[in-house]
Amino acid sequence: MSMKKIFTSIAILLFTLGAWGQNNMGTPYSKFGVGLLPDNYGAYTGMGGVSAAMRDNYNINFLNPASYTALDSMRFYFQMGVTGEYVDVSTYKDHSNYKVAQNASLNMAFRVYKKTFVSLGLVQRSDRGFDLIYSYPLIEDPTMFYVQQLEGLGGLNEAYLGVAYQFGRLSVGVNASYVFGKVEDRLTLVMQPATSGYYLKSQTLTRINSSLFTLGFQLPLPLTKKSELTLGGSFNFGTSLHGNRTFVANKISNTSGAIINVNDESWDNGEVFFPFRMIVGASYQYNKKWIFAGDYTFQKMSAYEEFGTNQEFQDYHKAAIGGSLQPNESGRYWWQRNKYTAGAYFTRSQLKFNYTDINTYGLTVGTQMPLRLARQELMLGVAVDLGMRGTHRNNQILEKYAKLRINIAFKEIWFMKAKIH
């Protein structure tokens, strides 16, 4: 692929991010920890987000580095994806909505030597965005009240370099990642009706940068001439991420706008402990047309800590299932060559309030459309994810969302010379 095409693809992705990000406040549930960790993204979004045992020669499955060995050894791969989300947020008495772009990714992959493949890329690892307003009446004077506004933004990104190698049927891989980003909390406290006094504004900013390693394996097992079972898994061991946190509080005059610093503190060389995480699963392929897959994800979020303080989360669990049908990979008609996907997933998140679990349920459908061009192939993936997060029970927040995932993958003939006739 030419550099012009690569830069054009990146520009399209950035434009898509900007278009969706005009109202980028996001979910109130992203307030906790380093933001909302995605439940479903990547090349197999339309299959419920399965990844552990998924391997093919069209998609870069960066969620399991062992999958790189399934790629075409004579091709260079370039892939990009982004999710646009529309969410309806409600409590038992209030209602609002927002839209946001999230979970963007840019990936490349190619073979470097015999059975050794390399991938590198940039992926959004978490998203943070919320804007909450509360009011508190004064006991001494019921005609006056405090208005408290809480805002949050930021998130973490991951730049990775992955290597995979195949031993017989067994493939193993590792992603060496650099995780970086910042999360920010802003608090504004104003007395209403406004007087000639001051209002309070504070900011807590946490910057994170550190290394993280993801190990993966995949083992295809032929069952019959037409069927194959693949086992797979990927793992992150518990890792301490380096963090730096600063806190600033100011009093601001309601009349002149003069700023008086109240507090300015910094805590250096802190740590955010990212707990052990694993994804294990299996996929079954029949007659090179049908694929059925299932995943289970576990993360020991009860061990999650920020700057030495346990956040009292519960452990994270996710179950996902999915299937796909490709009628005829080399069929004459475009609808025969398409992959049609469907799936579902359930997540019990790390969040629990007032004895109420914050769960997520989702149903997915999608398609992957292969297009053959001169000296290259393009796979256009489109997936729709419909679901809900949270509940109205016990005064909690319910979110109903519709997500659209666009995934574009190119395969370029790099290592073959054109024949001269």
Side-chain angles (χ1 to χ4, degrees):
M1 176 179 292
S2 67
M3 291 303 295
K4 181 179 179 180
K5 292 178 183 176
I6 292 177
F7 285 127
T8 300
S9 300
I10 293 174
I12 293 172
L13 179 66
L14 294 177
F15 174 80
T16 305
L17 279 169
W20 276 94
Q22 297 302 310
N23 181 12
N24 195 27
M25 290 322 300
T27 170
Y29 290 122
S30 68
K31 180 180 184 298
F32 306 94
V34 294
L36 190 68
L37 303 176
D39 293 313
N40 182 14
Y41 72 118
Y44 305 103
T45 298
M47 296 176 65
V50 293
S51 66
M54 297 301 297
R55 51 189 286 117
D56 61 54
N57 63 357
Y58 278 103
N59 299 288
I60 303 173
N61 180 13
F62 55 86
L63 297 174
N64 186 345
S67 67
Y68 305 149
T69 60
L71 300 176
D72 192 329
S73 62
M74 305 301 292
R75 302 274 187 159
F76 171 81
Y77 288 76
F78 178 82
Q79 177 177 292
M80 66 179 186
V82 67
T83 299
E85 180 178 17
Y86 177 84
V87 185
D88 181 271
V89 184
S90 62
T91 65
Y92 69 94
K93 63 178 181 179
D94 294 313
H95 180 276
S96 65
N97 58 70
Y98 67 86
K99 60 182 179 180
V100 64
Q102 57 184 199
N103 304 330
S105 61
L106 290 169
N107 314 91
M108 290 175 252
F110 49 91
R111 189 191 69 160
V112 291
Y113 180 75
K114 292 185 178 180
K115 298 180 180 181
T116 305
F117 290 74
V118 165
S119 176
L120 63 156
L122 179 64
V123 180
Q124 283 185 293
R125 196 168 186 92
S126 73
D127 294 293
R128 199 164 209 251
F130 57 90
D131 188 355
L132 306 173
I133 298 177
Y134 304 93
S135 62
Y136 304 95
L138 289 181
I139 298 177
E140 298 84 359
D141 186 355
T143 63
M144 303 190 69
F145 56 94
Y146 280 107
V147 175
Q148 182 184 59
Q149 181 179 19
L150 298 174
E151 298 174 88
L153 62 154
L156 298 184
N157 303 298
E158 174 183 351
Y160 75 89
L161 173 64
V163 180
Y165 185 80
Q166 187 170 349
F167 300 90
R169 291 197 183 104
L170 176 67
S171 293
V172 295
V174 59
N175 281 347
S177 303
Y178 176 67
V179 178
F180 63 97
K182 63 182 181 180
V183 292
E184 182 178 352
D185 287 297
R186 298 174 182 173
L187 167 65
T188 303
L189 191 61
V190 182
M191 182 178 289
Q192 294 290 348
T195 65
S196 59
Y198 294 85
Y199 66 92
L200 180 68
K201 196 163 190 174
S202 68
Q203 177 197 53
T204 302
L205 181 62
T206 303
R207 293 183 174 88
I208 295 174
N209 57 89
S210 196
S211 59
L212 182 70
F213 294 91
T214 302
L215 308 177
F217 79 91
Q218 288 184 333
L219 179 62
L221 300 170
L223 301 179
T224 67
K225 290 183 179 180
K226 291 187 176 182
S227 63
E228 181 179 79
L229 175 70
T230 300
L231 306 177
S234 60
F235 310 86
N236 295 116
F237 295 103
T239 305
S240 294
L241 307 177
H242 174 73
N244 174 277
R245 177 173 288 176
T246 59
F247 174 78
V248 177
N250 295 311
K251 290 198 308 182
I252 304 173
S253 172
N254 285 322
T255 54
S256 66
I259 300 174
I260 301 175
N261 180 258
V262 177
N263 202 336
D264 187 350
E265 298 182 11
S266 176
W267 299 273
D268 294 325
N269 301 318
E271 292 181 347
V272 174
F273 183 72
F274 186 79
F276 169 79
R277 176 182 174 91
M278 71 171 186
I279 308 174
V280 293
S283 67
Y284 173 77
Q285 183 178 29
Y286 178 74
N287 203 25
K288 296 184 179 180
K289 294 182 179 181
W290 294 92
I291 297 176
F292 302 96
D295 274 10
Y296 168 68
T297 304
F298 168 81
Q299 187 166 17
K300 194 171 179 57
M301 290 299 291
S302 58
Y304 178 86
E305 292 185 355
E306 290 185 10
F307 294 84
T309 302
N310 185 282
Q311 300 300 297
E312 299 183 355
F313 293 152
Q314 61 183 359
D315 291 335
Y316 174 98
H317 301 269
K318 177 193 170 186
I321 57 173
S324 71
L325 168 64
Q326 186 176 32
N328 188 343
E329 184 178 4
S330 56
R332 177 180 178 182
Y333 302 104
W334 66 269
W335 59 266
Q336 294 175 312
R337 299 190 298 271
N338 284 3
K339 273 189 177 181
Y340 304 94
T341 62
Y345 60 93
F346 165 76
T347 297
R348 196 203 77 172
S349 78
Q350 67 272 23
L351 302 177
K352 186 174 184 177
F353 306 111
N354 197 19
Y355 305 100
T356 305
D357 292 332
I358 305 303
N359 300 325
T360 302
Y361 308 81
L363 296 174
T364 65
V365 294
T367 183
Q368 290 192 328
M369 297 172 280
L371 305 173
R372 291 183 175 89
L373 308 174
R375 292 182 60 81
Q376 67 181 247
E377 294 179 59
L378 182 150
M379 177 70 85
L380 173 61
V382 180
V384 176
D385 181 353
L386 302 175
M388 60 183 183
R389 179 189 302 114
T391 177
H392 282 162
R393 292 187 298 110
N394 297 327
N395 298 323
Q396 302 306 310
I397 296 172
L398 174 65
E399 300 180 346
K400 297 178 182 179
Y401 57 79
K403 300 182 182 182
L404 179 67
R405 178 75 180 184
I406 304 296
N407 202 74
I408 302 174
F410 296 93
K411 291 200 300 183
E412 181 88 6
I413 299 177
W414 249 25
F415 306 110
M416 295 177 66
K417 294 182 179 179
K419 293 183 179 178
I420 300 176
H421 297 283

